[in-house]
């Protein structure tokens, strides 16, 4: 067992990235993720890596485009307004099938919003954000241990599938401190050699990385079909979630990220009260883990979605459930945080409704 | 100098730290707008930076812009309402990093707007990261070994750079670190607005300003920093006047 | 236990939270910490929130603290009403002239700033407060805090280690404890 270290999420993220051999970071200051560029500014020089404070998030993501094309493991980080600026670049990187890691420590929006934590960028992360039919792998840690572990994995997913990976956190995850074991990096996959990078054509034919497909001979349609095949493969191969007390659960709470851990506390308390509650907590929201919902639907009478936004995550939950059970909602945007009490209250309410439903059924 | 509160300045306490230069510059802009009698036809643009709450202090129309985009937003306003007075108020990160493209192109088009550029050599609002105008060797939270160690290049001299363009009609660099400088700044701001009123084109006043909080200096030391260190790198004076 | 530590910026609020967290970590307890950030920091009071628990910690932010360590008057005014019934309030009597008012919570009184002054280092008032807190709550072992202080300061500045430890020891001894009046009946 490696020793536990105590750092803020933003700082731990830097340590994990460096452990995973990330050697290029570009970013632009924005609260609540400033500790990332600040720590990178002295950690990267120590390990022979590159730190650049870019002139904007647009510049930062384009620096990654170049660094990735040149073969470096690379990362950028920001928070909501800055991630909006990166969308164009993300679309290009996805189109060119280059690996990189993008971290979003979300804050309240829309607009300049505020600097409290939020999950308002869910749609942006999993449904596009930039233009065109592309997908990101979107990882959603809830504890600092998960943040560390998923950051190590993020670079492997990116290299293995040649696709941008997003770590979707929020201001709390970035700002909170919690002990975590700093495991040494071990690759998740047998990684293919990077035979696409541009490092000078000495001894080989020149290579091109491009996203413009004008001529019919190299049809953009074909390119899109190829991308879709890759995305379908990711959907078959990636499914990350925690299932807690779902086997006999009648009320299943589901949430990701920070609300996911708060919900777990509420579910534990509900169990202590004798209520049959359970939790499904995705650790990756694209690809979305469908199986635990399919399993839970057999027993569960109702579901409860908790999110720090106005009803985005709930749409994917309903799709996973194919609308076979009622889905209650607890969520607000703009920097609202759920409390264990609020979630517990909803569970009690739904459990009571289940009971009532049962009684009327018997009467009939 | 007059100590009456200008009409264009609201009667509220600012959120700025003790010794910050923003409050002084706000006051000077407000005084000039009063003197010129243009308050009711002036539209200001607020940046993202410590001055984001400009609308809390300035008693005229204000639009809050995305980070770095005020010159583009001001262009839009001015083109639609050419007889109004439009100004931007921007920090160094806003104007010379994320918004440099907007700055250069508004200047090059000779957009008939006035830019008030508060250069405090640091990112104030986000807690003291390196700015494009941070001095060589200056400590910041993202240049912990002093600027210049990680290939950041040197401080950008905005007035000198813009003076190479044909668009701008008036460029001057001033400071707010001595009473004399404050008087000079007020004159420069007045002139910049007058240029706009006369339809001469793009005017910009760069104001060297104090940020004691993020420089980790006392207000008195911060004033000395401007007078001794910043003025040496950013010489005061008129860079263009036509 | 959910703890809020609050005071002026510069009183070592964050450091105090850090030390509690490190001491708890040494004892293999679960712990989370959060400090105020961004614009919240402007204008005087800083605060940190620390949770120490034997169980997995679900919710990392603190709305109703079980204990508040307040190092100045504005922090007392702000956080006293939030403390859970039957909870605990530690007051730096050197800088608090009014209150505390509540009697349904345990109270610890320690002249933290005077202790620090007597040691010739104003900055260590937080450690005196921490000493008093640890003595009366036994949340973490005294020895774990001493170790955490040594871990944090030893490399950089051995002299600081000594004065911080001295303040901690003084805090352990020089505090008064007042039990809550009928706290049990007021628990929700
Ligand atoms: C797209 C985007 N990126 C980053 C930020 C975060 N941010 C807010 S203010 C600021 C820098 C402010 O510095 P400056 O313009 O020099 O103004 P000052 O506070 O020093 O007056 C940054 C990076 C943001 N709001 N939006
Ligand atoms: S941080 Fe600096 S620029 Fe911002 S208000 Fe304080 S002194 Fe002024
Ligand atoms: Mg600035």
């Amino acid at each position: 067992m490696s020793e536990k270290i105590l750092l803020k999420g933003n700082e731990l993220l830097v340590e994990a990235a460096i452990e995973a051999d990330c050697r290029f970071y570009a970013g632009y200051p924005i609260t609540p993720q400033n500790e990332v560029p600040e720590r990178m500014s002295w950690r990267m020089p120590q390990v022979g890596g590159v730190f650049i404070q870019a002139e904007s998030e647009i510049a930062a993501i384009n620096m990654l485009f170049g660094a990735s094309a040149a073969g470096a493991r690379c990362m950028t980080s920001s928070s909501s307004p800055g991630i909006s600026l990166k969308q164009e670049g993300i679309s290009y990187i996805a189109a060119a099938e280059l690996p990189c890691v993008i971290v979003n420590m979300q804050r309240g929006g829309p607009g300049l919003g505020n600097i409290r934590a939020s999950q308002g960028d869910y749609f942006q992360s999993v449904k596009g954000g930039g233009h065109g039919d592309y997908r990101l792998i979107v990882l959603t840690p809830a504890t600092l241990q998960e943040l560390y572990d998923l950051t190590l994995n993020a670079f492997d997913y990116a290299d293995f599938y040649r696709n941008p990976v997003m770590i979707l956190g929020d201001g709390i995850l970035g700002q909170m401190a919690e002990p975590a074991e700093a495991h040494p990096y071990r690759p998740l996959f047998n990684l293919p050699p990077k035979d696409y990078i541009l490092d000078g054509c000495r001894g080989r034919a020149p290579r091109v990385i491009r996203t413009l497909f004008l001529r019919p001979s190299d049809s953009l349609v074909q390119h899109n079909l190829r991308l879709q095949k890759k995305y379908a493969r990711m959907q078959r191969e990636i499914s990350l979630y925690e299932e807690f007390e779902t086997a006999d659960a009648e009320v299943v709470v589901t949430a990701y990220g920070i609300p996911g851990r708060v919900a777990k506390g509420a579910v534990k308390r509900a169990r202590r009260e004798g209520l049959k509650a359970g939790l499904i907590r995705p650790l990756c929201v694209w690809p979305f883990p469908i199986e635990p919902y399919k399993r839970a639907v057999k027993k569960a009478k109702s579901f409860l979605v908790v999110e720090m936004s106005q009803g985005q995550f709930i749409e994917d939950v309903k799709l996973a459930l194919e609308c076979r059970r009622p889905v209650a909602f607890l969520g607000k945007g703009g920097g609202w945080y759920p409390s264990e009490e609020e979630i517990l209250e909803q569970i009690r309410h739904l459990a009571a409704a289940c009971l009532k439903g049962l009684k009327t059924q018997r009467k009939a | 100098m007059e100590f009456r509160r200008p009409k264009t300045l609201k009667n509220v306490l600012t959120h700025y730290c003790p010794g910050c230069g923003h409050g002084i510059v706000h006051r000077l802009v407000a005084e000039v707008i009063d003197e010129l009698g243009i308050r009711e036809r002036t539209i200001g643009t607020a940046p993202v930076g410590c001055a984001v709450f400009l609308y809390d202090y300035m008693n005229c129309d204000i639009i809050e812009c995305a980070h770095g985009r005020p010159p583009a937003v001001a262009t839009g306003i001015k083109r639609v309402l050419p007889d109004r007075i439009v100004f931007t108020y921007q920090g160094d990160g806003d104007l010379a990093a994320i918004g440099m493209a907007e700055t250069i192109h508004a200047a090059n088009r000779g957009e008939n707007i006035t830019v008030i550029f508060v250069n405090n050599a640091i990112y104030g609002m986000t807690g003291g990261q390196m700015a494009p105008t941070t001095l060589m060797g200056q400590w910041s939270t993202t240049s912990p070994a002093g600027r210049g160690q990680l290939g950041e290049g040197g401080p950008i001299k905005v007035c000198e750079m813009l003076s190479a363009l044909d668009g701008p009609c008036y460029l001057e660099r001033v400071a707010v670190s001595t009473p004399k400088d404050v008087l000079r700044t007020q004159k420069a701001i007045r002139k910049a607005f007058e240029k706009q009123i006369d339809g001469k084109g793009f005017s910009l006043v760069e104001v060297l300003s104090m940020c004691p909080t993020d420089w980790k200096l006392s207000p008195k030391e911060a004033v000395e920093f401007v007078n001794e260190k910043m003025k040496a790198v950013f010489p005061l004076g008129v860079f263009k006047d036509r | 236990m959910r703890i809020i530590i609050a005071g002026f910026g510069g009183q070592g609020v964050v450091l105090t939270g850090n030390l509690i967290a490190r001491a708890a970590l040494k004892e293999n307890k679960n712990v989370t910490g959060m400090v105020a950030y961004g614009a919240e920091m402007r204008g005087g009071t800083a605060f940190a929130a620390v949770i120490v628990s034997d169980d997995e910690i679900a919710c990392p932010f603190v709305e109703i603290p079980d204990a508040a360590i307040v190092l100045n008057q504005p922090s007392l005014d702000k956080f006293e009403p939030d403390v859970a019934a039957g909870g605990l309030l530690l007051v730096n009597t050197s800088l608090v002239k009014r209150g505390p008012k509540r009697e349904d919570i345990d109270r610890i009184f320690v002249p933290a700033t005077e202790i620090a002054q007597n040691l010739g280092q104003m900055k260590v008032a937080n450690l005196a407060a921490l000493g008093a807190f640890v003595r009366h709550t036994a949340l973490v072992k005294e020895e774990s805090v001493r170790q955490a202080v040594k871990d944090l300061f030893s490399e950089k500045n051995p002299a600081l280690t000594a004065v911080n430890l001295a303040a901690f020891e003084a805090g352990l001894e020089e505090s008064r404890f007042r039990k809550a009046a009928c706290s049990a009946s007021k628990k929700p």
Side-chain angles (χ1 to χ4, degrees):
Chain A
M1 201 179 85
S2 22
E3 213 188 324
K4 284 195 173 174
I5 52 175
L6 182 66
L7 289 173
K8 278 188 185 182
N10 286 331
E11 298 166 334
L12 187 71
L13 166 73
V14 170
E15 294 309 316
I18 288 175
E19 178 61 30
D21 283 337
C22 170
R23 288 296 178 272
F24 185 98
Y25 172 89
Y28 187 81
I30 185 167
T31 312
Q33 62 82 59
N34 289 321
E35 294 80 3
V36 184
E38 288 174 353
R39 195 176 181 90
M40 282 288 187
S41 75
W42 57 271
R43 285 294 278 129
M44 274 299 182
Q46 283 180 347
V47 297
V50 179
F51 162 79
I52 304 179
Q53 181 177 319
E55 66 271 29
S56 72
E57 291 84 353
I58 300 176
I61 191 74
N62 283 290
M63 288 173 186
L64 255 67
F65 194 22
S68 184
R73 279 201 152 176
C74 53
M75 181 170 101
T76 184
S77 64
S78 188
S79 179
S80 309
I83 296 290
S84 291
L85 279 188
K86 290 185 196 291
Q87 293 303 328
E88 177 193 61
I90 293 173
S91 166
Y92 280 67
I93 295 173
E97 293 190 83
L98 291 176
C100 72
V101 175
I102 303 149
V103 184
N104 183 0
M105 293 299 180
Q106 298 170 87
R107 61 188 237 178
L112 202 48
N114 63 18
I115 57 174
R116 281 170 70 89
S118 160
Q119 297 184 318
D121 307 346
Y122 182 87
F123 281 160
Q124 185 194 56
S125 316
V126 304
K127 313 271 175 189
H131 59 285
D133 279 309
Y134 72 90
R135 293 290 187 175
L136 305 179
I137 295 169
V138 183
L139 304 171
T140 52
T143 65
L144 292 207
Q145 189 64 59
E146 287 174 359
L147 175 65
Y148 186 90
D149 296 344
L150 288 175
T151 303
L152 295 191
N153 297 345
F155 287 94
D156 290 338
Y157 284 128
D159 278 343
F160 187 72
Y161 294 104
R162 281 185 55 182
N163 207 70
V165 174
M166 174 167 281
I167 297 174
L168 186 64
D170 62 49
I172 295 172
L173 190 77
Q175 291 296 326
M176 69 182 279
E178 184 173 50
E181 251 178 73
H183 309 292
Y185 167 66
R186 252 180 248 106
L188 266 187
F189 307 99
N190 215 340
L191 292 171
K194 294 189 170 182
D195 57 3
Y196 54 86
I197 63 172
L198 309 185
D199 54 353
C201 63
R202 197 164 164 185
R204 60 163 171 76
R207 291 174 185 151
V208 176
I209 291 176
R210 60 176 183 148
T211 66
L212 177 68
F213 294 83
L214 273 185
R215 273 169 294 150
S217 56
D218 47 17
S219 150
L220 183 56
V221 175
Q222 288 309 318
H223 181 55
N224 266 284
L225 289 175
R226 229 169 39 72
L227 288 177
Q228 291 305 318
K229 239 168 136 176
K230 178 170 87 173
Y231 300 146
R233 180 174 162 214
M234 291 174 184
Q235 282 180 302
R236 284 194 306 275
E237 294 176 353
I238 303 173
S239 180
L240 303 176
Y241 53 86
E242 182 192 18
E243 247 174 329
F244 178 69
E245 306 267 23
T246 47
D248 64 339
E250 293 181 344
V251 178
V252 173
V253 186
T254 182
Y256 72 95
I258 293 294
R261 65 187 283 166
V262 181
K264 193 169 177 183
V267 166
K268 281 186 186 164
R269 283 167 65 173
R271 282 277 164 181
R272 264 179 253 141
E273 292 181 9
L275 302 173
K276 285 190 174 166
L279 173 75
I280 300 173
R281 188 171 66 81
L283 288 166
C284 179
V285 287
W286 204 93
F288 196 83
I290 311 228
E291 319 81 75
Y293 294 93
K294 282 204 164 136
R295 270 195 298 275
V297 93
K298 291 182 194 142
K299 268 266 183 252
K301 305 272 187 314
S302 62
F303 285 75
L304 169 65
V305 165
V306 186
E307 59 180 291
M308 301 194 303
S309 43
Q310 301 283 173
Q312 302 189 30
F313 172 64
I314 191 173
E315 291 197 1
D316 282 337
V317 172
K318 283 182 175 170
L319 280 175
L321 293 172
E322 293 169 337
C323 296
R324 281 153 63 194
R325 290 289 178 279
V327 182
F329 180 70
L330 176 64
K332 281 189 202 103
W336 165 87
Y337 309 150
S339 68
E340 278 181 44
E341 285 71 22
E342 275 169 294
I343 299 173
L344 182 59
E345 193 50 46
Q346 293 277 327
I347 296 174
R348 285 191 194 121
H349 185 75
L350 291 170
C354 290
L355 213 61
K356 222 160 111 196
L358 215 64
K359 275 182 195 151
T360 45
Q361 250 175 25
R362 280 206 197 115
K363 262 184 215 159
Chain B
M1 233 198 308
E2 261 198 89
F3 287 102
R4 205 170 33 83
R5 182 174 53 80
K7 242 196 168 136
T8 312
L9 204 61
K10 292 185 187 167
N11 190 13
V12 291
L13 274 177
T14 74
H15 71 291
Y16 297 115
C17 311
C20 175
H22 275 301
I24 307 173
V25 184
H26 282 15
R27 183 179 187 94
L28 295 177
V29 173
E31 280 170 1
V32 166
I33 291 174
D34 269 19
E35 281 167 25
L36 296 173
I38 53 174
R39 187 176 70 86
E40 287 170 346
R41 60 186 184 107
T42 294
I43 299 135
T45 69
V48 179
C50 280
V52 67
F53 296 120
L54 192 66
Y55 49 78
D56 278 343
Y57 311 127
M58 300 284 284
N59 199 7
C60 65
D61 284 1
I62 304 277
I63 179 170
E64 177 205 283
C65 307
H67 195 23
R69 315 296 174 227
V73 176
T75 298
I77 298 169
K78 187 74 183 185
R79 295 284 179 116
V80 174
L81 301 167
D83 60 340
R84 306 300 198 284
I85 303 302
V86 182
F87 75 94
T88 77
Y89 184 107
Q90 299 176 261
D92 36 66
D94 198 84
L95 181 138
I98 196 166
M100 185 60 114
E102 282 79 0
T103 304
I104 290 185
H105 287 279
N108 193 52
R109 290 191 303 267
E111 255 351 299
N112 192 24
I113 60 173
T114 299
V115 173
I116 310 297
F117 167 34
V118 177
N119 176 358
N120 57 11
I122 201 88
Y123 282 15
M125 188 186 212
T126 40
Q129 295 84 10
M130 188 191 71
T133 50
T134 296
L135 307 187
M136 289 308 270
Q138 187 183 334
W139 176 90
S140 78
T141 61
T142 51
S143 58
R147 182 179 189 153
Q149 297 302 307
L150 296 176
E152 303 95 337
I156 296 181
K157 295 166 185 167
V158 170
C159 282
E160 285 85 339
M161 199 176 67
L162 294 182
S163 65
L165 303 175
D166 294 333
C169 68
Y170 176 58
L171 303 166
E172 179 165 359
R173 184 182 291 124
V174 291
V176 286
S177 49
T178 71
K180 212 173 117 209
D181 280 322
V182 171
L183 278 179
R184 179 68 229 162
T185 300
Q186 195 196 27
K187 284 208 187 85
I189 293 174
R190 187 184 169 106
K191 192 156 172 186
F193 274 96
E194 282 169 350
K195 294 276 184 194
Q196 184 181 165
I197 292 167
D198 296 342
K200 292 259 174 67
F202 186 89
S203 54
L204 177 146
V205 180
E206 173 174 348
V207 188
L208 306 185
S209 175
M210 294 74 71
C211 175
T213 302
D214 286 328
W215 294 348
K216 314 272 180 230
L217 297 178
S218 70
K220 186 168 161 281
E221 290 165 335
V223 163
E224 287 161 10
F225 184 82
V226 175
N227 288 334
E228 285 155 30
K229 301 277 163 49
M230 284 184 78
K231 285 179 183 173
V233 177
F234 300 110
L236 305 187
V238 177
F239 291 81
K240 192 152 209 173
D241 186 0
R242 63 163 171 80
Chain C
M1 182 185 265
R2 295 162 297 175
I3 309 157
I4 292 274
I5 306 142
F8 292 125
Q11 274 186 310
V13 161
V14 176
L15 176 67
T16 312
N18 199 342
L19 287 170
I20 295 176
R22 277 167 198 277
L25 178 57
K26 283 188 190 301
E27 297 172 18
N28 275 322
K29 296 190 156 97
N30 290 306
V31 56
T32 63
M34 280 275 284
V35 299
Y37 61 90
E40 277 181 74
M41 274 156 41
R42 302 260 145 80
T45 52
F47 72 92
V50 177
I51 305 175
V52 177
S53 171
D54 292 325
D55 293 330
E56 199 179 350
I57 297 169
C59 180
F61 38 90
V62 174
E63 268 153 17
I64 304 170
D66 303 309
I69 299 175
V70 295
L71 299 178
N72 65 7
Q73 187 75 48
S75 304
L76 175 71
D77 298 343
K78 185 165 173 202
F79 289 106
E80 180 180 6
D82 293 349
V83 177
L88 171 101
L89 185 67
L90 183 147
V91 175
N92 173 10
T93 51
S94 319
L95 295 184
V96 166
K97 297 298 160 222
R98 283 171 282 115
K101 301 183 196 87
R102 284 177 65 176
E103 302 201 330
D104 62 329
I105 49 180
D106 294 344
R107 285 139 292 161
I108 301 172
F109 299 90
V110 56
T113 306
E114 277 156 54
I115 291 175
Q117 256 160 350
N118 293 340
L119 290 167
Q121 174 57 272
M122 287 290 285
K123 275 193 181 159
V124 297
N126 59 336
L127 266 108
L130 184 55
F133 182 76
V134 170
R135 168 59 48 94
H136 293 286
T137 59
L139 175 69
V140 288
K141 299 195 185 83
E142 293 166 13
E143 196 45 37
S144 308
V145 178
R146 291 191 192 103
Q147 265 310 323
V149 170
K150 286 178 197 153
D151 292 351
L152 269 186
F153 290 106
S154 286
E155 279 173 36
K156 283 187 230 153
N157 197 335
L160 263 183
T161 316
V163 65
N164 272 291
L165 285 176
F168 180 69
E169 305 302 336
L172 283 172
E173 303 307 329
E174 294 177 38
S175 57
R176 280 183 298 124
F177 181 78
R178 205 173 296 152
K179 188 100 194 99
C182 56
S183 65
S185 66
K186 286 212 176 156
K187 260 192 186 147

